[in-house]
Each structure stands twice: as structure tokens, then as C-alpha cells.
Amino acid sequence: MSSLVLGIESSCDETAAAVVRDGREVLCNVVHSQNELHKRWRGVVPEVASRSHTSRILPIVAQALEQAQVRPGQLAAVAVTHRPGLIGCLLVGMAAAKSLSWLHGLPLVAVDHIQAHVHVAFMVEPALPLPAVNLVASGGHTALYLVHEPGRAERIGTTRDDAAGEALDKAAAILGLGYPGGPAIEAAAQGGDPRAVRFPLPLRHAEHLDFSFSGVKTALLYHLRGNALERPMPALDAAQVRDLAASYQHAVVTTLVGKLARAVRAVGARAVAIGGGVARNQLLRRRIAEEPALRGVRVVFPPLDLCSDNGAMVAGLGTLLLAQGKVADLDLAAAATARRTAQEAS
Ligand code: KG4
Ligand code: ZN
């Protein structure tokens, strides 16, 4: 018998719901992004985000069920992101999930958002060669996971300061580009010279697998305004913006690919996968595909809509956790921080 799981996601600035059959087949994947709401602040404003989730969550869930042509009573479970994220945002999705669970007598499954990003690789390729290394890079997180088997992933490296997406968002703000910054930098970099400015590649040669992105953002600021920030922000022409965007993107991507390759070597991984909003970046995908150190390693690039925040990944991992009997109570609490392993998360 097939199992239909509803996945609900509201940990940051996407209100999302999806129905997934048998842990893999995405029947619908409804995502409402709040980019328009937050762009004047060039970052997510938590209170604004949770208020928007509150008004959107029920219509989004209804839309997902309608698109999938599924009645709540046909569901095997409701899976919901309960960590990590903005508490006020998590609580909205969790309240919706708990209500559906109680009303329709459905098991409630608690999903760790980052582990769900990692799990997408198995939705795309169930026979993923193992062990695998998964790079999750988003606006809030940048980490490497060693994946032993579905649902069992362990963090082996993380950022010590900013996330890669955050570094791109901040650079876009400095350069006066759009929000969110990742796609804005990617678009602005078209035709630019990635070697025009040499930005630092922090921790690149360090043996460990941690990242640091705050220095590259500061380097951009210093490049424009002098080391003591003594100069006003210069007016940049289109060619300068192109070159700066290309050079900055090159630095972020080179750092990510370098650590990914180091991780693969360190653990003897047979596959790599990527997830999170930054995994939408085409230069990152190209550089991973061309990386000599990854030759002979299976590379999985999930479709773009499964990289940025979505409900399908929550339903996907939720299906596995349900099969493992990991069902939550209605007093399930939200948590702001990530756990290091999937076991801890359930
Ligand atoms: O996973 P996600 O949708 O939400 C978080 O959990 O943060 O990731 C959003 C982040 C933002 O920082 C955004 O600038 C970045 O992903 N991003 C990109 C691209 N699309 C989104 N970064 C680089 N290239 C892109 N095409
Ligand atoms: Zn995410």
C-alpha cells in the first residue's frame, strides 16, 4: 500500500507544504516565498516572517492537498519542520501540523530542516553510493554532512561565522544588487571577470572541514572603502559591478568546492550531493562537476525546487522517520538550533 505524507515547512521565510508518495514521488510542492516582504530590509525580519506564515499556512496546506488530490484522511502522517529555524516561524507550521494531526488522527512526525535538505539526495537517487558527503549551503547554514545511510547523517564541518548564502546576501547589499543576494550576484556576475579582484579564501588550506565567510564580506567592504573604511562608497559602473560580483562568487564557490573535495578525500566518500538555496547556483554546480578531486565520485544535483526550502523534503524524510516508528507527541517543541546527527533530531 502506498503511503502519502504531508510535509509542512515554515522555519524561515518560505511557507511551504507538499504531499509525497512513498517517500519519493512529489505529488505537489507548494512554496510561498516572502522575498518581497523582506527585500526592503535586505534580510529576514523574524516577526514579519511569522506573521506572514500565520496568514498563509492554511491556504498553502489546502492548496497542496488540492493539487495532490488528496483528502487529509488519506494521509499516513503529517511531517513538520520543528528545528532549526526562527522560533516564531517554526511554531506556525507546527501549530498547523498538530491541528491536522489531532483533527484527523494522523501521526505527527518531527523533522530537522537540515537533515531534510540532506535527505533530498535519497529522494533523487535512492541507491546513492555510500558513504556520501552532502554540502548544505543556505542563508542560515553552511555545513558538510557524512551520510552513512538514509536518515543517518553526521555533521563533519560547519561555518564558524556567516553562512555562504548570508555572505552572498550581504555582498549584494553592499553592491546595491537585489535581494535575495545569491541569485542577484549570480545574475550580476554574468560576463564578469572572476579574477578581477582576489578575495580571500578563508580556511581553505586548513585540514579541518569548517568554513568561514565573514572575512570575504569584509574584504569586499575594504576593497571599496579602504582599509580604515575612510572612503565613501564609490559609484561603480556596470563593468565594475560585473567583475566584483564574478570575483566574489568565485571566492565563495571556490571555498565551498575546496572543502567538499577535502571532505570526500577525508572520509573516502563514494558520492556527493548538495542542498540548500546556494545549491541552486550554476557556477557551484559546474565547478563541482569539473572538480578533478571528485572524479569517480557519483555527484547528485537535486532539482532546483528541492534545493531551496520546501515541504517535499520534509515529507520525504518524514516518511522514513514514520517507517522507523519515530512519531512525535502533540507537545512537540520547536528549537532554534540544529542537531549534529539525525538520531538526535528525532
Ligand atoms: O535554503 P534557503 O532557501 O533558505 C534558508 O534556509 O536560508 O536558502 C536561501 C539562501 C539565500 O542566502 C540566497 O541568497 C541563496 O540561498 N541562494 C543562492 C541562489 N539562490 C538562492 N545563492 C547562490 N546562487 C543562487 N542561485
Ligand atoms: Zn533551508
Side-chain angles (χ1 to χ4, degrees):
M1 209 188 74
S2 78
S3 103
L4 296 166
V5 171
L6 172 69
I8 296 179
E9 158 63 38
S10 68
S11 64
C12 189
D13 59 340
E14 268 85 29
T15 319
V19 178
V20 169
R21 196 201 308 271
D22 296 332
R24 261 202 90 190
E25 193 191 339
V26 181
L27 301 189
C28 66
N29 193 16
V30 183
V31 180
H32 175 264
S33 163
Q34 301 175 359
N35 285 342
E36 280 303 311
L37 266 184
H38 301 293
K39 85 178 176 201
R40 61 185 286 222
W41 314 105
R42 296 185 178 276
V44 178
V45 183
E47 193 53 39
V48 172
S50 60
R51 255 183 270 151
S52 172
H53 286 308
T54 306
S55 64
R56 298 255 175 198
I57 191 75
L58 293 180
I60 296 275
V61 168
Q63 197 183 332
L65 291 171
E66 194 186 311
Q67 274 185 24
Q69 304 209 335
V70 166
R71 282 174 282 107
Q74 295 174 284
L75 293 168
V78 183
V80 66
T81 301
H82 80 121
R83 75 184 310 159
L86 301 165
I87 293 289
C89 293
L90 289 164
L91 289 175
V92 178
M94 290 170 65
K98 287 178 181 182
S99 307
L100 282 166
S101 160
W102 180 77
L103 191 62
H104 300 285
L106 301 169
L108 177 71
V109 181
V111 169
D112 179 298
H113 178 91
I114 308 295
Q115 296 284 342
H117 275 303
V118 171
H119 187 74
V120 166
F122 291 106
M123 297 174 72
V124 175
E125 191 162 328
L128 188 73
L130 296 169
V133 168
N134 202 314
L135 167 70
V136 180
S138 70
H141 309 276
T142 297
L144 286 160
Y145 283 80
L146 169 57
V147 185
H148 301 283
E149 60 184 10
R152 198 155 74 84
E154 151 193 18
R155 193 171 67 206
I156 52 174
T158 188
T159 182
R160 295 185 174 184
D161 40 56
D162 292 355
E166 187 181 357
L168 291 164
D169 292 339
K170 286 177 175 164
I174 293 169
L175 292 173
L177 300 170
Y179 174 83
I185 296 265
E186 182 170 33
Q190 292 298 323
D193 176 5
R195 315 225 169 247
V197 181
R198 296 185 79 82
F199 287 114
L201 304 171
L203 303 183
R204 188 169 182 218
H205 297 294
E207 280 296 320
H208 60 70
L209 300 173
D210 285 352
F211 302 92
S212 165
F213 289 103
S214 69
V216 65
K217 162 198 70 190
T218 314
L220 171 63
L221 207 55
Y222 286 165
H223 175 81
L224 294 170
R225 299 193 48 204
N227 281 346
L229 299 182
E230 70 275 11
R231 298 197 294 263
M233 195 61 87
L236 301 168
D237 65 29
Q240 287 171 311
V241 171
R242 254 199 317 272
D243 284 351
L244 282 167
S247 300
Y248 194 90
Q249 179 179 234
H250 171 80
V252 172
V253 165
T254 302
T255 304
L256 291 172
V257 177
K259 284 291 174 178
L260 180 60
R262 188 181 287 277
V264 165
R265 274 196 307 272
V267 303
R270 297 175 59 214
V272 303
I274 54 175
V278 179
R280 299 173 67 102
N281 186 275
Q282 294 305 317
L283 178 67
L284 176 66
R285 289 172 177 239
R286 202 166 66 237
R287 289 281 304 280
I288 290 174
E290 292 169 355
E291 171 60 42
L294 298 179
R295 248 177 237 142
V297 172
R298 176 87 185 100
V299 178
V300 175
F301 296 126
L304 302 191
D305 57 349
L306 293 184
C307 285
S308 34
D309 290 351
N310 67 86
M313 66 182 192
V314 178
L317 180 54
T319 305
L320 177 72
L321 295 174
L322 177 71
Q324 295 173 342
K326 293 174 179 160
V327 172
D329 294 326
L330 286 180
D331 63 359
L332 173 70
T337 54
R339 287 259 166 96
R340 214 171 53 80
T341 67
Q343 280 70 34
E344 288 176 322
S346 51

